[in-house]
Amino acid sequence: MTTGKFDLQTRFLNEIIESGRVVTIYTTNGVPLKCKIIGHDNFTILIDSKGQQQMLGKGAISTIVK
């Protein structure tokens, strides 16, 4: 067992941010958002969708598709 912290979520989001790729985020109520993820913290994700920045609570996100 490793003693280092393995944070899959942070690594996944950082990879998307660094690549600059467009992803689809599905919200918990089923709405798909095609966007670029430009930042995140423990509770929110900052996205750019159609030239507008939006902040989403991580609790409102169901799935992120690369």
Side-chain angles (χ1 to χ4, degrees):
M1 182 156 228
T2 62
T3 58
K5 183 178 178 187
F6 180 75
D7 191 351
L8 182 61
Q9 183 181 114
T10 298
R11 292 175 71 182
F12 180 79
L13 292 171
N14 285 340
E15 176 189 319
I16 293 170
I17 292 167
E18 289 171 10
S19 72
R21 84 172 54 166
V22 174
V23 297
T24 302
I25 296 177
Y26 290 93
T27 63
T28 54
N29 62 350
V31 176
L33 301 168
K34 289 208 180 276
C35 59
K36 287 185 180 182
I37 298 175
I38 54 179
H40 69 95
D41 64 16
N42 289 338
F43 305 103
T44 60
I45 292 181
L46 184 63
I47 64 170
D48 185 315
S49 179
K50 300 178 184 176
Q52 292 185 341
Q53 289 187 0
Q54 299 177 22
M55 186 174 288
L56 300 173
K58 286 184 175 177
I61 296 170
S62 170
T63 309
I64 299 173
V65 181
K66 292 201 276 185

